[in-house]
Amino acid sequence: MKKVNMVMGAFFSEVGYRLLGIFAAGDVDIAVTRETLLVGFDWTAEQFRAAGKALAEHPFRVDSRQVPLETLCSVLNRRKGFLVSLMENPVLVEQETFSETLLAVFHLADELECRGEALCRLPGADTRHLENDMNRAYQKLAAQWLDYLRHLKTHYPYLYSLAVRKNPFDPGASPILTA
């Protein structure tokens, strides 16, 4: 499990935080759940459970008009080799939840890349299709992120500190310590 969490750390550093930030910015219902996801340095197990419950109840509805599709595509394309290497990682074979997350992200990357220059002029049906793909990846990423933070809090407080400061659900998040 330690190796899986190391791989998850690499994933979130390379692409996960950025994706969650993009999706959260386009989430039409994030205001309802955001407060529950503002993870603190001194969070308790009960607060993690409450955040997990809030995520389980959250509708995950990304409005593609609020998402810079070209930027999203570029982020995923630049990290495609990294994503492929993660999918080939034997450590992840037994970790079904994370494998499903990777598959959802990889599928979204493929869908966006297939459209090429047409991303800025997609018909409504195709836009809704991409929103479904974004929502699937977003939901899986958010749940995985919370589990990963719970692990960091218990085993790696120094990594947890940075993760809290980089919270993709906090529009004012900054890795820079001010106090």
Side-chain angles (χ1 to χ4, degrees):
M1 202 56 189
K2 270 189 167 184
K3 288 181 181 180
V4 170
N5 281 298
M6 285 174 56
V7 172
M8 274 196 260
F11 169 77
F12 279 106
S13 290
E14 285 291 316
V15 70
Y17 282 107
R18 183 80 191 269
L19 291 178
L20 280 172
I22 290 170
F23 294 147
D27 186 342
V28 297
D29 297 309
I30 194 62
V32 175
T33 309
R34 177 174 275 130
E35 190 68 30
T36 312
L37 299 176
L38 298 180
V39 180
F41 295 109
D42 57 350
W43 260 34
T44 64
E46 182 54 40
Q47 286 169 301
F48 275 107
R49 276 191 294 280
K53 185 175 188 283
L55 278 178
E57 295 171 356
H58 187 73
F60 293 98
R61 291 187 315 132
V62 174
D63 179 351
S64 63
R65 294 169 297 188
Q66 303 300 315
V67 173
L69 293 177
E70 295 84 6
T71 300
L72 179 59
C73 185
S74 175
V75 166
L76 290 168
N77 280 338
R78 283 194 318 262
R79 302 295 192 258
K80 201 163 195 178
F82 175 73
L83 293 172
V84 169
S85 72
L86 289 180
M87 290 180 75
E88 295 170 341
N89 189 321
V91 171
L92 299 178
V93 171
E94 294 180 20
Q95 175 49 293
E96 188 175 330
T97 308
F98 190 53
S99 296
E100 290 293 322
T101 301
L102 282 175
L103 189 59
V105 170
F106 197 76
H107 174 71
L108 176 60
D110 270 352
E111 288 279 359
L112 291 168
E113 185 179 23
C114 288
R115 284 155 179 83
E117 302 283 322
L119 277 175
C120 58
R121 55 186 186 288
L122 297 173
D126 202 42
T127 300
R128 287 186 297 280
H129 176 83
L130 285 176
E131 285 175 345
N132 287 336
D133 290 336
M134 283 186 274
N135 291 334
R136 180 183 310 107
Y138 179 29
Q139 182 175 16
K140 290 179 182 305
L141 275 169
Q144 198 71 63
W145 169 78
L146 190 61
D147 286 344
Y148 177 64
L149 259 62
R150 185 179 297 128
H151 167 78
L152 292 182
K153 173 97 168 78
T154 303
H155 300 287
Y156 300 100
Y158 63 99
L159 295 174
Y160 179 73
S161 171
L162 180 58
V164 168
R165 289 179 276 131
K166 289 174 30 178
N167 186 333
F169 295 100
D170 182 354
S174 170
I176 299 169
L177 291 168
T178 57

